[in-house]
Amino acid sequence: MLRVGILVSGGGTNLQAILDAIDNGTITNASVEVVISNNAGAYALERARKHNIAAECLSPKEFSDREEFNQALIAKVDSYHLDLIVLAGFLVKIPESMIAKYRNKIINIHPSLIPSFCGVGFYGLKVHEAALARGVKITGATVHFVDEGMDSGPIILQKAVEVLPGDTPEILQRRVMEQAEWIILPKAIDMIANGNI
Ligand code: GRF
């Protein structure tokens, strides 16, 4: 059984897609052991509590410096003895020491077809604003392993989504979530849980 920890900062719709996929058998051989957020108000924590999953908040603001926060984050993650760490909209930089310790055991969902619209400054709605500004007709989402770069680790899965006339960043974001993110992130976890990656 793959022990999974999920790191979040926001609404948690990707977390919910994972929890639903485990409940309906789309993901097998995996259990979510903990949800960790840097944001006490993240609705993702409420989604975890509703599912009787440990919900932990660790905010950099609670620590005297970033290094102290990093150590606390690693200790918290270690305490759950995880096989896989999933970044589902986690907006805090993962410490390099944690990436090294959990090499090829941390995955991230990014709301574009990497290498387009990724890297520093490309997160949340900004990704979709850039796609619309460039005029691309196809966008999508990517699941990749996390390395020391920003959105630069080995790609695991991608799924394309059409950009439609009249799309706003919000409309496009929702379509990318519904038609790509909420499908490929659970699929990637199931593949890892069953030794298919
Ligand atoms: C998603 O758009 C994901 O692609 C990005 O952060 C957002 C998280 O949304 N990494 P949610 O908290 O899962 O609803």
Side-chain angles (χ1 to χ4, degrees):
M1 181 71 79
L2 192 79
R3 293 173 60 86
V4 181
I6 303 179
L7 276 52
V8 296
S9 296
T13 65
N14 276 282
L15 164 66
Q16 193 62 55
I18 294 164
L19 298 178
D20 294 346
I22 290 174
D23 288 350
N24 69 30
T26 304
I27 295 177
T28 60
N29 249 340
S31 67
V32 177
E33 299 298 324
V34 62
V35 174
I36 300 171
S37 181
N38 61 304
N39 170 13
Y43 188 66
L45 290 175
E46 186 56 30
R47 293 181 193 268
R49 292 185 195 105
K50 283 182 178 174
H51 232 75
N52 300 315
I53 293 170
E56 305 251 19
C57 181
L58 242 67
S59 169
K61 288 179 278 194
E62 296 162 7
F63 297 87
S64 53
D65 60 36
R66 179 50 62 99
E67 183 50 32
E68 203 182 312
F69 166 78
N70 288 348
Q71 293 308 321
L73 178 63
I74 294 168
K76 181 63 72 180
V77 167
D78 286 351
S79 71
Y80 282 90
H81 308 291
L82 301 173
D83 303 306
L84 181 67
I85 297 162
V86 179
L87 308 185
F90 192 61
L91 295 178
V92 174
K93 183 163 173 47
I94 302 297
E96 291 200 357
S97 55
M98 182 168 150
I99 292 168
K101 186 168 192 176
Y102 289 91
R103 180 75 59 193
N104 292 330
K105 292 185 176 181
I106 308 174
I107 65 174
N108 181 52
I109 177 81
H110 183 75
S112 75
L113 295 175
I114 290 174
S116 298
F117 313 116
C118 66
V120 177
F122 286 102
Y123 58 89
L125 275 181
K126 293 175 186 289
V127 175
H128 305 291
E129 288 164 359
L132 290 171
R134 183 63 186 83
V136 296
K137 305 307 178 190
I138 298 291
T139 186
T142 302
V143 179
H144 63 93
F145 286 111
V146 172
D147 66 7
E148 286 73 3
M150 179 73 77
D151 304 326
S152 57
I155 290 172
I156 299 169
L157 291 175
Q158 293 187 301
K159 192 168 190 304
V161 174
E162 263 195 302
V163 181
L164 299 175
D167 271 351
T168 63
E170 292 77 8
I171 291 171
L172 184 55
Q173 178 180 56
R174 184 75 188 185
R175 187 178 311 119
V176 169
M177 283 179 159
E178 288 174 348
Q179 296 184 10
E181 297 181 38
W182 299 345
I183 294 168
I184 62 173
L185 188 53
K187 184 173 179 180
I189 295 168
D190 182 63
M191 288 168 69
I192 293 167
N194 292 287
N196 294 326
I197 292 182

